[in-house]
Amino acid sequence: MAEAARKRLALALLIVAVIPVGLITRFHGGPAWLRNGAGAVLYEVVWIAAAQIAWISARTHRLALAVFAATCGIELLQLSEAPWLWAARSTTPGRLLLGANGGFDPADFALYGLGCVLGYGLCRPLRASA
């Protein structure tokens, strides 16, 4: 198996391991700050791993910065009252991807930053050589 294929498999396994942990922390008890904080951090890890799978040779720090910018943009969208956003957020996938209606919290930016640092650390060794 080629290096890139092995590394993509490892990244996919990372995603498969992280998603259940994120869902468990989000929906199964514990204090709200832990549920929300762990979910936000792990959300970044999953997206960085997914981006690294798609662009296996891309520099991980660039992917992490792009994910950080995108998720901060999504956080800012929570300030919007657009009907299509309300409709999307009324579904479970929409809530997981876009956040809850009226759920803007500036503290999430720090959690996204922490998640990007963690995601970088976990995904950087799995980047294929160019």
Side-chain angles (χ1 to χ4, degrees):
M1 186 183 285
E3 175 197 19
R6 279 193 316 275
K7 295 205 172 183
R8 279 190 171 103
L9 177 61
L11 287 160
L13 292 173
L14 174 64
I15 291 170
V16 167
V18 169
I19 286 176
V21 172
L23 291 172
I24 288 167
T25 58
R26 176 74 66 162
F27 295 112
H28 291 291
W33 65 267
L34 177 61
R35 287 192 321 266
N36 295 332
V41 169
L42 296 175
Y43 182 77
E44 300 296 299
V45 172
V46 167
W47 283 113
I48 293 167
Q52 194 74 75
I53 287 172
W55 298 284
I56 194 67
S57 296
R59 295 180 154 284
T60 309
H61 74 277
R62 289 184 179 165
L63 297 175
L65 288 172
V67 167
F68 179 74
T71 53
C72 287
I74 290 169
E75 184 70 24
L76 290 171
L77 277 177
Q78 292 185 34
L79 295 170
S80 173
E81 299 288 331
W84 67 271
L85 282 170
W86 281 89
R89 290 185 198 119
S90 69
T91 67
T92 299
R95 216 171 16 265
L96 291 171
L97 293 173
L98 300 172
N101 291 328
F104 176 78
D105 184 355
D108 284 348
F109 295 123
L111 294 169
Y112 297 152
L114 179 62
C116 284
V117 169
L118 178 61
Y120 172 82
L122 292 170
C123 295
R124 174 60 187 94
L126 302 175
R127 174 184 173 253
S129 302

